[in-house]
């Protein structure tokens, strides 16, 4: 029930939205026809990538001392009300369970929109002494938000993510965790071949209940940014609200400081699709592809058996070396198969004809640039893995170059608008990233039809300059339209 | 915040319930103090095992051609009503979402108690032609049941499982899937070191909407059985209800036959704990342990540095060979550490004193029987893996022997009762496993205080005999009390 690859004919550069929505259906990644608005069904072709994305992040988190936990999907209404800002921020987005069987429940349960209020009531029980700290726990799960406009992998009423909830003895350790979250993202983003910007969000755009919010944005081809991870320094806001305390070595009581980090696994899929795909379809990095190599026999009369046998030998050889591959032995033509697997984004293709079967060689074709190399059977596994690694490196380089081209310096709100219309970030100044800056930011947003202050770029040298709206001296920030 | 191992002092054989509930808390597997009744928090020590259990089953399912999908957690009420028996079976157990933010919803959404009604509406869209079949999809997720009596990993309001939903062209292929499910269970159970019985349940104890239900039971130490997987042959009940049809090669329309299989990952944890543990605490199989080997330094004045250094060398050597291990370098005494890691169920312990550090040897101690072996550093990785594999083999053998001792032949309902009181299965006859047998089964259940017909043992030669209740000739079945 999926679109033939010949029918897929969309212009990614000039009509990204149509390209994106069509490829999700055409490549059989998800089905949006489930009969609850905003909830999608994930098909095997996306699930295989989701499993790898989860493994990538979980492995990296565990290297840094995070440990897995799993909390209930439901949170009682009372918990929400403990941290006031948080409650106000999330209540409008919550799905409420009010009945068990045919009985009304005494109190409502929320489907978790995020799990701070579930974790902190338990941290209240678990944290007593300095020796109980730090706690660095993560859970891989879905969360629920009542959204009206939805789009697969970008915005949904139920989506996949990881959430870490971390408690530290003091502010210094908690702030170091923000740095560590950035490092984890950098390592994972390299595997995804995705360059990103790590911003400190302005005060008016922070997480409900946080002291500071840091967020990871990626620029999509239509010039809108997609936030795909956030990390929040929560100070002692949540620990105080939930009465989490510990005694230090001298028996003195303290409120610990805490952080949370939310790698948006769902949105990473959107970023992978949007960044690497082309007008032929998807392009998956070799390290994360649902299938790494497709082997396609080129039939020749009288030679079918030999070709088929040799294809199977290659499959066995590659699998023995840890490469995920498959022989497409369907009755379609080779041309049809090329198009089909290109649409699906399989990074490498191996073509086997009568000559290759006889000479024990193979031609390896890259999905991204169609470069071909020929090698002997004995070198094949090594060659496939090297070619895959090279493809990934090139995907990252290309995406990095694209991003560099997409930052334009702007001095006035007119110049900001021009940069955004050119599908770029505007690098400019705003009078303040504290609450006082909100007026200029709103004026800028209205003037540029949606340009928002994404924040100060973490790691970039701090310089100050004149606000592009009011002219007062302020901080250097990046402006972009966003998803 | 966990119990010291010296405080753990429970008699598994004679007071299993107290042993079980204490070990969950003492070994820090889960916390039942979450403030919604019946929902538990899973701590890292159990989550590491859950991740391995999921991987074990997912890998095996994929070997047999199943592919991963992920469906929404919510199912609209209308879907439930499509298959009448199914709706009646599950409606009393359902949690209902009735509000989004502060708005009442037009129709209620169920938190999935199982996902047939979500999958089949999509199968209606996906299945058109014989070439779309078979479909073999699985999802790893939690499901929700409104239960009043709960117990961690045995019965909960939210629990972890895998569900497969499979559609085939005809009855023959669908029935072959039931056989395949049994084979998958056999392979996974061997890794878990758990012997099980695969029963065909009597007609009065089948899944709501199924033609036939097969279920996997394990016998716990208190003589009650725990069902930890079910596989259902659904005939065309669900495909007809959801109007799923396909055209064969001649264009003729058919209703496909379907099956589902639910490995109860949560209950497998309960079975692992209950089967292998002893009065010292947990015993995890090497292949599934949250930590495979603990390295414990035995301090000697003046030799601390050498001992510490050698412990780290062993850790690196074992990790390089794929063994998960840790050095316990805390300030507690070796004796305390032995008890602690025995309570936690780590299968192997390596003791390193001054002599071992000097001679580059090590003593490996098994958790299950405390057998000790000494080996050289160069042989250590191989030795640890062999000892781990041997431990697993012995755990399985012991559990198999236990199970064989727990089957007693019974001719009368009095004999059945005696067998159950001796914490055993009663192997006897019932006049019928069709609907007509329900009367005798109820009488037997009342007489034996909870003895239920678990069904006919699949694979055992069919013999007939006199019903232990009414004396009419009927089928050989197993009776047990159950969780």
């Amino acid at each position: 029930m999926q679109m033939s690859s010949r029918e897929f004919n969309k212009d990614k550069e000039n009509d990204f939205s149509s390209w994106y929505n069509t490829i999700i259906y055409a490549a059989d990644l998800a089905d949006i026809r489930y009969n609850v608005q905003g909830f999608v069904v994930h098909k095997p072709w996306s699930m295989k990538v989701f499993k790898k994305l989860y493994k990538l992040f979980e492995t990296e988190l565990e290297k840094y001392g995070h440990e897995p936990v799993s909390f209930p999907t439901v949170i009682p209404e009372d918990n929400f009300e403990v941290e006031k800002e948080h409650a106000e921020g999330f209540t409008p987005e919550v799905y409420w369970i009010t009945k068990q069987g045919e009985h009304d429940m005494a109190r409502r349960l929320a489907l978790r929109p995020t799990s701070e209020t579930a974790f902190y009531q338990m941290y209240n029980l678990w944290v007593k002494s300095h020796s109980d700290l730090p706690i660095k726990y993560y859970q891989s799960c879905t969360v629920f938000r009542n959204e009206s406009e939805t789009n697969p992998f970008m915005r949904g009423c139920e989506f996949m993510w990881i959430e870490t909830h971390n408690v530290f003895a003091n502010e210094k350790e908690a702030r170091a965790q923000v740095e560590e979250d950035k490092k984890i993202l950098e390592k994972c983003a390299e595997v995804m071949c995705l360059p990103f910007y790590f911003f400190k969000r302005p005060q008016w755009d922070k997480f409900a209940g946080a002291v500071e919010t840091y967020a990871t944005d990626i620029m999509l081809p239509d010039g809108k940014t997609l936030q795909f991870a956030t990390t929040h320094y929560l100070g002692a806001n949540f620990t105080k609200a939930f009465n989490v305390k510990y005694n230090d070595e001298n028996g003195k009581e303290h409120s610990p400081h805490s952080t949370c980090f939310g790698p948006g696994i769902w949105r990473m899929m959107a970023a992978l699709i949007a960044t690497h795909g082309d007008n032929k379809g998807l392009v998956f990095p070799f390290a994360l592809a649902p299938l790494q190599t497709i082997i396609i026999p080129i039939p020749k009369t009288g030679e079918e058996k030999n070709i088929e046998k040799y294809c199977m030998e290659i499959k066995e050889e590659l699998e023995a070396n840890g490469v995920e591959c498959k022989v497409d032995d369907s009755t379609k033509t080779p041309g049809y198969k090329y198009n089909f697997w290109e649409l699906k984004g399989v990074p490498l293709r191996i073509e086997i004809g009568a000559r290759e079967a006889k000479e024990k060689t193979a031609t390896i074709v890259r999905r991204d640039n169609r470069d071909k190399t020929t090698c002997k059977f004995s070198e094949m596994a090594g060659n496939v893995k090297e070619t895959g690694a090279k493809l990934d490196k090139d995907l990252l380089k290309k995406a990095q170059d694209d991003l560099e081209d997409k930052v334009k310096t702007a001095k006035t709100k007119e110049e900001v608008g021009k940069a955004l219309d050119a599908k770029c970030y505007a690098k400019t100044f705003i009078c303040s990233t504290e609450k006082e800056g909100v007026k200029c930011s709103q004026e800028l947003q209205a003037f540029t039809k949606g340009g928002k202050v994404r924040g100060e770029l973490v790691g970039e040298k701090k310089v100050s300059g004149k606000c592009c709206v009011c002219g007062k001296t302020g901080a250097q920030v990046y402006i972009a339209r966003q998803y």
Side-chain angles (χ1 to χ4, degrees), chain A residues 190-205:
Chain A
E190 193 179 330
V191 179
M192 297 189 286
C193 314
L194 295 176
F196 64 87
Y197 281 157
F198 190 79
F199 290 118
K200 183 178 169 192
R201 288 277 191 254
Q203 275 296 312
W204 58 83
D205 192 20

PDB file of all heavy atoms in Angstrom, chain A residues 190-205:
ATOM      1  N   GLU A 190      26.598  13.910  15.839  1.00  0.00           N
ATOM      2  CA  GLU A 190      27.597  13.503  14.849  1.00  0.00           C
ATOM      3  C   GLU A 190      27.169  12.192  14.173  1.00  0.00           C
ATOM      4  O   GLU A 190      27.310  12.049  12.953  1.00  0.00           O
ATOM      5  CB  GLU A 190      28.967  13.342  15.514  1.00  0.00           C
ATOM      6  CG  GLU A 190      30.066  13.248  14.480  1.00  0.00           C
ATOM      7  CD  GLU A 190      31.448  13.119  15.089  1.00  0.00           C
ATOM      8  OE1 GLU A 190      31.670  13.643  16.203  1.00  0.00           O
ATOM      9  OE2 GLU A 190      32.290  12.486  14.437  1.00  0.00           O
ATOM     10  N   VAL A 191      26.621  11.275  14.958  1.00  0.00           N
ATOM     11  CA  VAL A 191      26.130  10.014  14.378  1.00  0.00           C
ATOM     12  C   VAL A 191      24.940  10.273  13.455  1.00  0.00           C
ATOM     13  O   VAL A 191      24.779   9.632  12.419  1.00  0.00           O
ATOM     14  CB  VAL A 191      25.746   9.018  15.500  1.00  0.00           C
ATOM     15  CG1 VAL A 191      25.203   7.719  14.913  1.00  0.00           C
ATOM     16  CG2 VAL A 191      26.949   8.737  16.399  1.00  0.00           C
ATOM     17  N   MET A 192      24.107  11.250  13.839  1.00  0.00           N
ATOM     18  CA  MET A 192      22.945  11.588  13.006  1.00  0.00           C
ATOM     19  C   MET A 192      23.341  12.455  11.807  1.00  0.00           C
ATOM     20  O   MET A 192      22.506  12.762  10.967  1.00  0.00           O
ATOM     21  CB  MET A 192      21.895  12.311  13.863  1.00  0.00           C
ATOM     22  CG  MET A 192      21.333  11.451  14.996  1.00  0.00           C
ATOM     23  SD  MET A 192      19.906  12.213  15.837  1.00  0.00           S
ATOM     24  CE  MET A 192      20.727  13.486  16.790  1.00  0.00           C
ATOM     25  N   CYS A 193      24.601  12.896  11.774  1.00  0.00           N
ATOM     26  CA  CYS A 193      25.099  13.792  10.705  1.00  0.00           C
ATOM     27  C   CYS A 193      24.320  15.108  10.702  1.00  0.00           C
ATOM     28  O   CYS A 193      24.028  15.660   9.641  1.00  0.00           O
ATOM     29  CB  CYS A 193      25.021  13.133   9.331  1.00  0.00           C
ATOM     30  SG  CYS A 193      25.645  11.450   9.298  1.00  0.00           S
ATOM     31  N   LEU A 194      23.958  15.588  11.884  1.00  0.00           N
ATOM     32  CA  LEU A 194      23.161  16.809  11.995  1.00  0.00           C
ATOM     33  C   LEU A 194      23.920  17.888  12.762  1.00  0.00           C
ATOM     34  O   LEU A 194      24.282  17.693  13.915  1.00  0.00           O
ATOM     35  CB  LEU A 194      21.854  16.515  12.756  1.00  0.00           C
ATOM     36  CG  LEU A 194      20.856  15.570  12.098  1.00  0.00           C
ATOM     37  CD1 LEU A 194      19.676  15.330  13.045  1.00  0.00           C
ATOM     38  CD2 LEU A 194      20.362  16.118  10.766  1.00  0.00           C
ATOM     39  N   PRO A 195      24.168  19.036  12.128  1.00  0.00           N
ATOM     40  CA  PRO A 195      24.747  20.154  12.864  1.00  0.00           C
ATOM     41  C   PRO A 195      23.618  20.920  13.562  1.00  0.00           C
ATOM     42  O   PRO A 195      22.515  21.007  13.041  1.00  0.00           O
ATOM     43  CB  PRO A 195      25.364  21.007  11.765  1.00  0.00           C
ATOM     44  CG  PRO A 195      24.526  20.729  10.558  1.00  0.00           C
ATOM     45  CD  PRO A 195      23.906  19.365  10.726  1.00  0.00           C
ATOM     46  N   PHE A 196      23.899  21.437  14.762  1.00  0.00           N
ATOM     47  CA  PHE A 196      22.825  22.121  15.499  1.00  0.00           C
ATOM     48  C   PHE A 196      23.378  23.335  16.226  1.00  0.00           C
ATOM     49  O   PHE A 196      24.591  23.481  16.377  1.00  0.00           O
ATOM     50  CB  PHE A 196      22.179  21.159  16.505  1.00  0.00           C
ATOM     51  CG  PHE A 196      23.120  20.699  17.592  1.00  0.00           C
ATOM     52  CD1 PHE A 196      23.276  21.452  18.759  1.00  0.00           C
ATOM     53  CD2 PHE A 196      23.839  19.527  17.467  1.00  0.00           C
ATOM     54  CE1 PHE A 196      24.147  21.041  19.761  1.00  0.00           C
ATOM     55  CE2 PHE A 196      24.714  19.106  18.461  1.00  0.00           C
ATOM     56  CZ  PHE A 196      24.876  19.861  19.608  1.00  0.00           C
ATOM     57  N   TYR A 197      22.486  24.195  16.652  1.00  0.00           N
ATOM     58  CA  TYR A 197      22.857  25.312  17.518  1.00  0.00           C
ATOM     59  C   TYR A 197      22.267  25.082  18.893  1.00  0.00           C
ATOM     60  O   TYR A 197      21.102  24.682  19.018  1.00  0.00           O
ATOM     61  CB  TYR A 197      22.338  26.639  16.944  1.00  0.00           C
ATOM     62  CG  TYR A 197      23.194  27.188  15.819  1.00  0.00           C
ATOM     63  CD1 TYR A 197      22.662  28.074  14.882  1.00  0.00           C
ATOM     64  CD2 TYR A 197      24.538  26.847  15.694  1.00  0.00           C
ATOM     65  CE1 TYR A 197      23.442  28.599  13.855  1.00  0.00           C
ATOM     66  CE2 TYR A 197      25.322  27.360  14.672  1.00  0.00           C
ATOM     67  CZ  TYR A 197      24.772  28.226  13.756  1.00  0.00           C
ATOM     68  OH  TYR A 197      25.549  28.733  12.750  1.00  0.00           O
ATOM     69  N   PHE A 198      23.078  25.344  19.918  1.00  0.00           N
ATOM     70  CA  PHE A 198      22.655  25.158  21.311  1.00  0.00           C
ATOM     71  C   PHE A 198      22.480  26.563  21.901  1.00  0.00           C
ATOM     72  O   PHE A 198      23.454  27.265  22.148  1.00  0.00           O
ATOM     73  CB  PHE A 198      23.740  24.375  22.048  1.00  0.00           C
ATOM     74  CG  PHE A 198      23.364  23.890  23.424  1.00  0.00           C
ATOM     75  CD1 PHE A 198      22.568  22.765  23.592  1.00  0.00           C
ATOM     76  CD2 PHE A 198      23.833  24.543  24.566  1.00  0.00           C
ATOM     77  CE1 PHE A 198      22.252  22.294  24.870  1.00  0.00           C
ATOM     78  CE2 PHE A 198      23.502  24.084  25.841  1.00  0.00           C
ATOM     79  CZ  PHE A 198      22.712  22.954  25.988  1.00  0.00           C
ATOM     80  N   PHE A 199      21.232  26.967  22.067  1.00  0.00           N
ATOM     81  CA  PHE A 199      20.930  28.334  22.505  1.00  0.00           C
ATOM     82  C   PHE A 199      20.551  28.389  23.979  1.00  0.00           C
ATOM     83  O   PHE A 199      19.926  27.461  24.500  1.00  0.00           O
ATOM     84  CB  PHE A 199      19.727  28.888  21.725  1.00  0.00           C
ATOM     85  CG  PHE A 199      20.007  29.161  20.275  1.00  0.00           C
ATOM     86  CD1 PHE A 199      19.317  28.474  19.281  1.00  0.00           C
ATOM     87  CD2 PHE A 199      20.933  30.139  19.893  1.00  0.00           C
ATOM     88  CE1 PHE A 199      19.556  28.731  17.933  1.00  0.00           C
ATOM     89  CE2 PHE A 199      21.173  30.400  18.540  1.00  0.00           C
ATOM     90  CZ  PHE A 199      20.484  29.701  17.563  1.00  0.00           C
ATOM     91  N   LYS A 200      20.888  29.504  24.600  1.00  0.00           N
ATOM     92  CA  LYS A 200      20.261  29.834  25.885  1.00  0.00           C
ATOM     93  C   LYS A 200      19.034  30.665  25.538  1.00  0.00           C
ATOM     94  O   LYS A 200      19.148  31.772  24.984  1.00  0.00           O
ATOM     95  CB  LYS A 200      21.225  30.622  26.762  1.00  0.00           C
ATOM     96  CG  LYS A 200      20.659  30.915  28.127  1.00  0.00           C
ATOM     97  CD  LYS A 200      21.657  31.667  28.987  1.00  0.00           C
ATOM     98  CE  LYS A 200      20.970  32.189  30.235  1.00  0.00           C
ATOM     99  NZ  LYS A 200      21.819  33.146  30.950  1.00  0.00           N
ATOM    100  N   ARG A 201      17.870  30.145  25.839  1.00  0.00           N
ATOM    101  CA  ARG A 201      16.633  30.818  25.467  1.00  0.00           C
ATOM    102  C   ARG A 201      16.446  32.088  26.298  1.00  0.00           C
ATOM    103  O   ARG A 201      16.871  32.147  27.458  1.00  0.00           O
ATOM    104  CB  ARG A 201      15.434  29.901  25.713  1.00  0.00           C
ATOM    105  CG  ARG A 201      15.323  28.743  24.734  1.00  0.00           C
ATOM    106  CD  ARG A 201      14.631  29.164  23.439  1.00  0.00           C
ATOM    107  NE  ARG A 201      14.309  28.009  22.619  1.00  0.00           N
ATOM    108  CZ  ARG A 201      14.966  27.661  21.490  1.00  0.00           C
ATOM    109  NH1 ARG A 201      15.985  28.389  21.042  1.00  0.00           N
ATOM    110  NH2 ARG A 201      14.596  26.607  20.801  1.00  0.00           N
ATOM    111  N   PRO A 202      15.789  33.104  25.702  1.00  0.00           N
ATOM    112  CA  PRO A 202      15.464  34.283  26.512  1.00  0.00           C
ATOM    113  C   PRO A 202      14.490  33.916  27.635  1.00  0.00           C
ATOM    114  O   PRO A 202      13.800  32.899  27.562  1.00  0.00           O
ATOM    115  CB  PRO A 202      14.810  35.230  25.505  1.00  0.00           C
ATOM    116  CG  PRO A 202      14.371  34.373  24.369  1.00  0.00           C
ATOM    117  CD  PRO A 202      15.299  33.209  24.319  1.00  0.00           C
ATOM    118  N   GLN A 203      14.473  34.734  28.651  1.00  0.00           N
ATOM    119  CA  GLN A 203      13.670  34.451  29.851  1.00  0.00           C
ATOM    120  C   GLN A 203      12.181  34.261  29.552  1.00  0.00           C
ATOM    121  O   GLN A 203      11.491  33.540  30.266  1.00  0.00           O
ATOM    122  CB  GLN A 203      13.861  35.559  30.897  1.00  0.00           C
ATOM    123  CG  GLN A 203      15.076  35.347  31.794  1.00  0.00           C
ATOM    124  CD  GLN A 203      14.959  34.086  32.650  1.00  0.00           C
ATOM    125  OE1 GLN A 203      13.953  33.832  33.293  1.00  0.00           O
ATOM    126  NE2 GLN A 203      16.006  33.269  32.637  1.00  0.00           N
ATOM    127  N   TRP A 204      11.697  34.955  28.505  1.00  0.00           N
ATOM    128  CA  TRP A 204      10.251  34.837  28.226  1.00  0.00           C
ATOM    129  C   TRP A 204       9.916  33.548  27.477  1.00  0.00           C
ATOM    130  O   TRP A 204       8.766  33.298  27.178  1.00  0.00           O
ATOM    131  CB  TRP A 204       9.752  36.066  27.451  1.00  0.00           C
ATOM    132  CG  TRP A 204      10.469  36.283  26.142  1.00  0.00           C
ATOM    133  CD1 TRP A 204      10.201  35.691  24.947  1.00  0.00           C
ATOM    134  CD2 TRP A 204      11.592  37.151  25.920  1.00  0.00           C
ATOM    135  NE1 TRP A 204      11.080  36.115  23.998  1.00  0.00           N
ATOM    136  CE2 TRP A 204      11.944  37.018  24.557  1.00  0.00           C
ATOM    137  CE3 TRP A 204      12.332  38.024  26.725  1.00  0.00           C
ATOM    138  CZ2 TRP A 204      13.008  37.735  23.994  1.00  0.00           C
ATOM    139  CZ3 TRP A 204      13.376  38.729  26.158  1.00  0.00           C
ATOM    140  CH2 TRP A 204      13.709  38.588  24.809  1.00  0.00           C
ATOM    141  N   ASP A 205      10.910  32.765  27.176  1.00  0.00           N
ATOM    142  CA  ASP A 205      10.661  31.552  26.392  1.00  0.00           C
ATOM    143  C   ASP A 205      11.218  30.328  27.119  1.00  0.00           C
ATOM    144  O   ASP A 205      11.757  29.417  26.510  1.00  0.00           O
ATOM    145  CB  ASP A 205      11.306  31.701  25.007  1.00  0.00           C
ATOM    146  CG  ASP A 205      10.845  30.600  24.035  1.00  0.00           C
ATOM    147  OD1 ASP A 205       9.786  29.992  24.285  1.00  0.00           O
ATOM    148  OD2 ASP A 205      11.556  30.352  23.051  1.00  0.00           O
TER     149      ASP A 205
END
